[in-house]
Amino acid sequence: LALFTDATTGQRRIGRIVQRLCEIETYKAMSMLGFMQARDMAGALNDLDGQLSTLMGAMRSGAGTAAEETLHALLDVSVALEALTAETAYRFAATGAYEAIVYERISALREARFLGRQGFGEFMMRRYAPAMRTVKSTETRLQTLAARALRAADLLRTRVDVERSAQNQAILASMDRRADLQLRLQHTVEGLSVVAISYYAVSLAGYLLYPLAAPLGVTKGLLTAAVTLPVVLGVWWTLRRLRRKIG
């Protein structure tokens, strides 16, 4: 880079111009570090974008692996994108600051077109601005991919929760049916218990009342038939009262 000055230009003016040119070159070189990092991570972003598109396609079609496995894969992609964001956040922010300084120094030169030739600002706009736009587009793409991955994970997590709720409802319905069957079985057992206990109670009552059959002038069979109904009712009432107390 050469600087040709008019003879009337003062030394201080020349010094300021040289200083600004040096600052432009310095901050331009520092800002290009962000461009190199953006170029290096393009392959990783392409891979993650492909993985995210594949997983979202599987979510939309409902085919492939289970929802929980897809959710884990989406979370892995989100973690990778967050790691890239944390790794490049400082460099991209610094690149934006250096770019602003470069354009500020170019503006401070207050250059004018000479003999129709390309100016320094125009040269920088054509050669330097595309690199800075690449950095900005890479940063925006990274943020967009991270947001897409998080939204997809939230949607899939909601689907998993809904499926689990449906499974829980099915389990509760099955438990209700089992409880109903157990209740019916319990009522059946209680009915059989009434019959069995009544049989033994009638037998015991018969043994106790058989000595009274002759004085009363009745047969043992008639005496047994007479006490059967009161004994059965007494057993049924006693078991029902115990069941209410326990319940």
Side-chain angles (χ1 to χ4, degrees):
L1 180 63
L3 178 63
F4 301 95
T5 62
D6 188 82
T8 59
T9 305
Q11 295 296 324
R12 298 180 60 181
R13 172 65 176 167
I14 296 175
R16 287 195 300 270
I17 294 175
V18 171
Q19 179 183 3
R20 288 165 184 168
L21 290 175
C22 292
E23 290 176 347
I24 290 173
E25 183 62 27
T26 299
Y27 289 115
K28 179 180 75 68
M30 296 177 67
S31 63
M32 292 302 290
L33 295 176
F35 171 72
M36 296 174 60
Q37 192 167 14
R39 186 181 57 184
D40 293 339
M41 67 182 294
L45 285 180
N46 291 333
D47 293 338
L48 292 173
D49 192 3
Q51 295 178 25
L52 183 58
S53 299
T54 301
L55 292 173
M56 295 182 70
M59 288 173 54
R60 183 172 58 252
S61 62
T65 58
E68 293 189 1
E69 296 180 1
T70 305
L71 178 59
H72 291 314
L74 279 173
L75 292 178
D76 290 339
V77 173
S78 298
V79 170
L81 289 172
E82 289 298 328
L84 284 177
T85 302
E87 181 181 350
T88 59
Y90 172 77
R91 178 51 56 193
F92 286 169
T95 298
Y98 297 145
E99 179 190 8
I101 295 175
V102 168
Y103 285 121
E104 181 183 347
R105 297 298 186 270
I106 293 175
S107 177
L109 290 176
R110 298 193 300 274
E111 62 176 343
R113 185 175 295 275
F114 178 72
L115 298 179
R117 297 182 180 275
Q118 177 179 321
F120 185 73
E122 184 179 354
F123 171 81
M124 293 294 291
M125 181 182 66
R126 297 184 59 182
R127 298 299 180 90
Y128 176 71
M132 296 299 100
R133 286 196 293 268
T134 300
V135 174
K136 293 177 181 178
S137 65
T138 302
E139 184 178 9
T140 302
R141 184 187 181 191
L142 180 58
Q143 295 174 354
T144 302
L145 286 176
R148 284 177 55 197
L150 288 177
R151 287 196 301 269
D154 291 338
L155 291 174
L156 189 56
R157 189 181 295 110
T158 302
R159 177 185 295 180
V160 171
D161 292 339
V162 170
E163 291 179 355
R164 287 180 178 176
S165 298
Q167 293 176 358
N168 292 335
Q169 290 178 358
I171 292 173
L172 290 176
S174 177
M175 292 176 63
D176 289 340
R177 289 193 297 269
R178 291 180 182 179
D180 185 55
L181 291 175
Q182 291 178 356
L183 182 60
R184 293 181 181 179
L185 180 60
Q186 181 180 357
H187 289 166
T188 302
V189 172
E190 288 177 355
L192 295 175
S193 300
V194 170
V195 173
I197 295 173
S198 299
Y199 174 77
Y200 289 107
V202 168
S203 298
L204 291 175
Y207 287 126
L208 293 174
L209 296 175
Y210 282 163
L212 300 177
L216 295 174
V218 295
T219 63
K220 293 181 178 180
L222 183 60
L223 184 62
T224 302
V227 301
T228 298
L229 183 59
V231 170
V232 171
L233 291 176
V235 171
W236 174 79
W237 180 80
T238 303
L239 291 177
R240 186 176 181 182
R241 187 176 181 183
L242 289 175
R243 186 172 70 247
R244 288 182 178 179
K245 288 184 178 181
I246 295 174

